[in-house]
Amino acid sequence: MSPASTDALQADATGLLQGARRVVVKIGSALVVDRETGRVRDGWLQGLADDIAAMRERGQQVIVVSSGAIAVGRHLLKLSDGVLDLEQSQAAAAVGQIRLAHIYQSIFEACGLVAGQILVTLTDTEERRRYLNARRTIETLLANGAVPVVNENDTVATSEIRYGDNDRLSARVASMMSADCLVLLSDVDGLYTAAPERDAGAEHIAVVRELTPQIVAMAEASGNPHARGGMVTKLEAARIAMAAGTHLAITSGKTPNPLKRLQNSARATWFIAKTDPVAARKRWISGQLAARGTLAIDAGAVAALRAGKSLLPAGVTSVAGQFGRGDAVVIAAPGGHEIARGLTAYSDADARRIAGRQSREVADILGYTGRTALVHRDDMVLKTKADR
């Protein structure tokens, strides 16, 4: 591919970041922590915070997924170099997470931003009940102007249930939050046809539209002893993101203000999704989740759903099946035909108790303050006539 055509592809792809409403930024461990001293790179993080503040001024929402807790903690605990065992990693994370959280808080505050820490494990994005909790928490932080800073909860994760790297974690977060764009800031500026440090003829790949076997074969594992990700896991992250309708960029974060540079067409590899996050999420709810129950609704609720509203308890006439919070349910109109499908905010037992009641009564009936909607419109797919 000629340099001119590569530059044109790069420029076209860069517009995806500038036009994104919601962006997830993953920061590699080598960028957060100086490998020689084990200290956090405050100056680099300040430049990143400046970039995020500028994006916020343009109306973009930004979620940060940060590595580095274990690398910081092992330095503070004076642990030896080399591979740590599980207990040492968890102890290092416990110390490092506190230090990182404080640094993010201070640096973001200097830019007029509020940081909120979110620690997650695999089950928080794989189990739908926890998925809904995490999604709503991050949505609330964004709605109130905060910048969520997410990291894997290494203090409690085990070797059997951990992600293993924050590349895939960031892709799961981007999918969960219906992000338009995911940026992986790393110590490399993208995907090459071969390892550039070993092959002078290696060519940079500007844009990938499909993860073919040939593309996957180009991946090379990272040699960074403090990072758990490499190009292989970055391609796995790209697969997750693209399936969720999220565009992904791999770019270098070695220089200051990396997001600003990316918006100005810095070298990167862009993985282009074929659909958008909303369509991908709707397809996931409507076609990939087995319904565990049925909520029958009245004509008034049918009209409300068709007008783009959420399903409130007052519009539910009966509840069938056994399901838990976060499970998929069929929403049936009078006559029994399916009008929608969605993720319920209540179990079948609680749904039966509040069916037909006003939302203001829910807390008194259940003894706790739950969601206003039984199925929120963001977690619902309306069926068209062609679907029925």
Side-chain angles (χ1 to χ4, degrees):
M1 182 179 295
S2 68
S5 61
T6 298
D7 290 344
L9 285 171
Q10 192 82 66
D12 289 344
T14 299
L16 298 173
L17 176 60
Q18 296 171 340
R21 179 186 66 90
R22 179 172 291 173
V23 180
V24 174
V25 180
K26 183 265 177 178
I27 311 170
S29 179
L31 300 176
V32 177
V33 183
D34 185 278
R35 295 181 184 179
E36 298 298 326
T37 66
R39 298 184 183 280
V40 175
R41 301 175 65 210
D42 302 62
W44 183 87
L45 285 175
Q46 186 62 66
L48 179 74
D50 290 338
D51 290 349
I52 293 174
M55 294 172 70
R56 287 285 308 279
E57 285 292 324
R58 292 193 297 270
Q60 294 178 292
Q61 296 179 332
V62 182
I63 301 167
V64 173
V65 177
S66 176
S67 299
I70 292 177
V72 171
R74 73 184 296 157
H75 170 72
L76 294 173
L77 292 176
K78 297 180 172 56
L79 298 177
S80 61
D81 293 335
V83 178
L84 300 178
D85 61 32
L86 179 60
E87 291 76 15
Q88 288 177 317
S89 294
Q90 291 173 328
V95 173
Q97 282 169 355
I98 291 178
R99 178 62 62 89
L100 273 183
H102 176 70
I103 291 172
Y104 275 114
Q105 180 187 43
S106 300
I107 289 175
F108 279 36
E109 187 175 23
C111 296
L113 302 174
V114 176
Q117 185 184 46
I118 306 289
L119 298 177
V120 298
T121 62
L122 176 62
T123 52
D124 293 321
T125 57
E126 295 296 336
E127 292 183 7
R128 285 189 291 278
R129 299 177 197 178
R130 296 186 180 184
Y131 166 100
L132 288 178
N133 281 335
R135 179 180 170 90
R136 292 283 183 252
T137 299
I138 297 176
E139 287 278 10
T140 302
L141 285 170
L142 293 171
N144 285 277
V147 178
V149 180
V150 181
N151 201 342
E152 183 178 5
N153 194 356
D154 291 304
T155 59
V156 299
T158 69
S159 58
E160 288 78 20
I161 65 172
R162 69 188 307 136
Y163 283 101
D165 64 88
N166 278 352
D167 292 324
R168 284 176 290 188
L169 171 59
S170 65
R172 294 291 186 191
V173 170
S175 173
M176 179 175 70
M177 299 310 301
S178 300
D180 303 292
C181 184
L182 167 60
V183 178
L184 302 183
L185 295 178
S186 183
D187 53 359
V188 295
D189 59 7
L191 176 66
Y192 286 78
T193 54
E197 66 274 15
R198 297 195 296 268
D199 187 344
E203 296 182 6
H204 180 265
I205 307 298
V207 173
V208 174
R209 299 186 182 276
E210 184 177 358
L211 290 177
T212 63
Q214 292 76 16
I215 291 294
V216 174
M218 295 176 187
E220 294 286 341
S222 170
N224 179 2
H226 297 300
R228 287 174 285 175
M231 191 54 68
V232 170
T233 62
K234 287 175 175 55
L235 292 192
E236 292 173 358
R239 188 186 305 279
I240 295 168
M242 293 168 75
T246 300
H247 306 301
L248 179 144
I250 300 172
T251 191
S252 174
K254 290 182 178 180
T255 56
N257 303 99
L259 296 178
K260 180 179 180 180
R261 291 183 63 257
L262 183 58
Q263 290 172 341
N264 291 330
S265 300
R267 173 171 280 198
T269 297
W270 282 91
F271 295 79
I272 310 300
K274 295 181 179 180
T275 186
D276 61 82
V278 174
R281 178 172 168 77
K282 298 287 188 181
R283 185 172 62 249
W284 172 67
I285 292 174
S286 65
Q288 298 181 13
L289 297 179
R292 300 300 184 96
T294 300
L295 304 176
I297 63 175
D298 59 28
V302 170
L305 298 192
R306 287 177 173 163
K309 303 295 181 62
S310 299
L311 176 60
L312 302 181
V316 178
T317 58
S318 67
V319 178
Q322 294 183 334
F323 50 84
R325 182 175 182 273
D327 283 338
V329 293
V330 167
I331 302 173
H337 66 274
E338 180 176 344
I339 185 177
R341 186 170 295 214
L343 307 182
T344 174
Y346 293 93
S347 67
D348 63 285
D350 285 348
R352 288 185 175 90
R353 295 175 65 189
I354 63 176
R357 308 298 288 270
Q358 297 296 316
S359 296
R360 63 177 178 271
E361 301 177 86
V362 170
D364 290 336
I365 296 171
L366 300 181
Y368 66 90
T369 302
R371 308 293 184 191
T372 300
L374 213 162
V375 180
H376 194 276
R377 63 183 181 182
D378 291 344
D379 299 321
M380 183 190 311
V381 181
L382 287 178
K383 298 289 183 178
T384 64
K385 290 183 178 179
D387 296 326
R388 297 173 195 165

